[in-house]
Amino acid sequence: MEHRMNLWNDSFLSIKSGIKTVEMRLNDEKRSLVCSGDKIIFTNASTKEEMAVKVIKTVVYKDFFELYKHYNKFEIGYTEDEINDPLDMYQYYSKEKIDQYGALAIEIELI
């Protein structure tokens, strides 16, 4: 199956460079359909450039606090000088939505 998702420029470039290997999303109805072996087309929200990745594995967590315990900061898109903090995810998703759906780690590789 093929999925389409938008990414901010910094996340897009981090995946493109091979540093970020885990995309984090809310495990809502749309994202819960993503499975190992699927293809995701990411679109850079700034430049509209696209890139394809293959889904290696998906893991569902109760919340982003649990997800962050299982990956190093580079895998999930942080840089050397940034502190990886699960509270950062509240800029994208409300606590209510996270409590309702949980968090999804999508382990990926460039195609």
Side-chain angles (χ1 to χ4, degrees):
M1 180 179 255
E2 184 175 292
H3 308 273
R4 293 192 158 269
M5 298 182 195
N6 292 319
L7 284 174
W8 296 112
N9 187 55
D10 56 344
S11 291
F12 187 93
L13 295 175
S14 186
I15 290 172
K16 187 175 179 179
S17 71
I19 297 169
K20 181 177 178 181
T21 58
V22 178
E23 176 59 15
M24 301 177 293
R25 296 289 170 128
L26 192 67
N27 190 38
D28 59 12
E29 294 90 354
K30 182 177 179 183
R31 306 303 176 218
S32 66
L33 299 175
V34 177
C35 298
S36 298
D38 286 357
K39 180 179 182 181
I40 300 174
I41 306 296
F42 285 120
T43 302
N44 185 320
S46 299
T47 66
K48 305 305 180 209
E49 180 183 355
E50 293 185 339
M51 93 179 123
V53 300
K54 178 181 175 183
V55 176
I56 302 306
K57 179 180 172 184
T58 60
V59 184
V60 177
Y61 295 95
K62 177 183 78 152
D63 56 30
F64 289 100
F65 290 91
E66 289 299 314
L67 187 155
Y68 273 54
K69 290 178 187 176
H70 291 91
Y71 297 98
N72 73 51
K73 71 184 204 173
F74 304 108
E75 291 173 303
I76 58 175
Y78 287 86
T79 62
E80 182 69 43
D81 60 339
E82 292 177 310
I83 297 171
N84 52 326
D85 185 350
L87 292 174
D88 292 343
M89 297 309 291
Y90 289 132
Q91 66 185 311
Y92 307 107
Y93 309 114
S94 69
K95 182 178 181 336
E96 294 75 26
K97 291 287 187 190
I98 295 169
D99 289 344
Q100 179 181 359
Y101 294 110
L104 179 65
I106 306 170
E107 298 181 16
I108 56 174
E109 69 179 11
L110 288 169
I111 296 177

